[in-house]
Amino acid sequence: MGKIKLDEIDHQILDMLIDNTRIPFTDIAKKLLISAGTVHVRVKKMEESGIIRGSSLTLDYKKLGYSFIAYVGVFLNNTSQTKFVLERVNEIPFVTVAHITTGKFNIFCKIRAKSTEHAKEVIFMLDDIEGVYRTETMISLEESINDKKRLMHSIFNEM
């Protein structure tokens, strides 16, 4: 499937939806001086083409008591165990992201925890998975950049 063509109106619609996925189409229409029907049709087109895949909710994990973030590199005994290990990792709710990677680690995970003690428990859960040789952990001191728009604007500028 080829690259989807988006125009400036589509870019502006996406920009507003990234800021607030719950913004009413009528509000977008007013800001862009187009009809709400036009916004609806364009969003539907972007959904059908796969550019928009649902919408998401952003939580403030600090306010929920989960301010500790760590990244855990997982070494496997054998790469053929990757699928099995990922299935076990998926059962640990405190692992919020997992990637199969090249290089030093077989799997790279992001974990959220309440404290260092809680993070240690989560890391031990990862270590206890059959097929895991060992783990290596890096503690996040601060999430300095988490901007969904920067890449989007760069992509738009290439179009």
Side-chain angles (χ1 to χ4, degrees):
M1 186 170 162
K3 199 161 109 175
I4 306 298
K5 294 284 184 193
L6 300 176
D7 65 14
E8 185 58 32
I9 297 292
D10 294 324
H11 296 178
Q12 291 175 1
I13 291 170
L14 286 172
D15 195 45
M16 286 185 229
L17 288 172
I18 285 174
D19 274 341
N20 177 7
T21 58
R22 297 178 63 178
I23 187 171
F25 288 174
T26 52
D27 290 0
I28 294 172
K30 286 177 191 170
K31 289 178 182 174
L32 299 181
L33 304 174
I34 58 177
S35 75
T38 299
V39 174
H40 177 77
V41 167
R42 285 172 175 261
V43 169
K44 185 93 173 136
K45 177 188 79 170
M46 289 186 277
E47 287 173 338
E48 289 171 353
S49 68
I51 291 171
I52 296 176
R53 297 184 344 203
S55 60
S56 64
L57 183 67
T58 303
L59 298 176
D60 187 334
Y61 285 102
K62 285 182 183 178
K63 290 182 179 175
L64 295 170
Y66 286 81
S67 59
F68 190 96
I69 298 171
Y71 295 90
V72 182
V74 179
F75 296 87
L76 302 180
N77 291 321
N78 191 319
T79 56
S80 65
Q81 297 169 304
T82 303
K83 183 179 177 195
F84 173 83
V85 171
L86 280 171
E87 288 169 355
R88 302 295 85 71
V89 168
N90 193 46
E91 294 170 1
I92 303 171
F94 310 106
V95 177
T96 59
V97 178
H99 294 270
I100 298 171
T101 59
T102 62
K104 188 174 182 179
F105 311 111
N106 299 98
I107 300 171
F108 197 71
C109 302
K110 178 181 180 180
I111 67 167
R112 285 201 172 265
K114 296 177 185 178
S115 63
T116 54
E117 183 65 30
H118 184 224
K120 181 178 82 171
E121 292 169 15
V122 175
I123 294 162
F124 285 1
M125 287 182 215
L126 289 168
D127 277 328
D128 287 342
I129 296 172
E130 182 183 335
V132 172
Y133 171 64
R134 71 181 184 91
T135 60
E136 188 174 305
T137 303
M138 290 138 281
I139 296 170
S140 172
L141 300 176
E142 171 186 28
E143 184 175 74
S144 303
I145 299 172
N146 185 353
D147 185 353
K148 298 174 190 173
K149 284 188 169 188
R150 291 176 349 132
L151 177 58
M152 181 187 75
H153 288 296
S154 179
I155 292 167
F156 290 167
N157 289 335
E158 291 175 1
M159 297 178 129

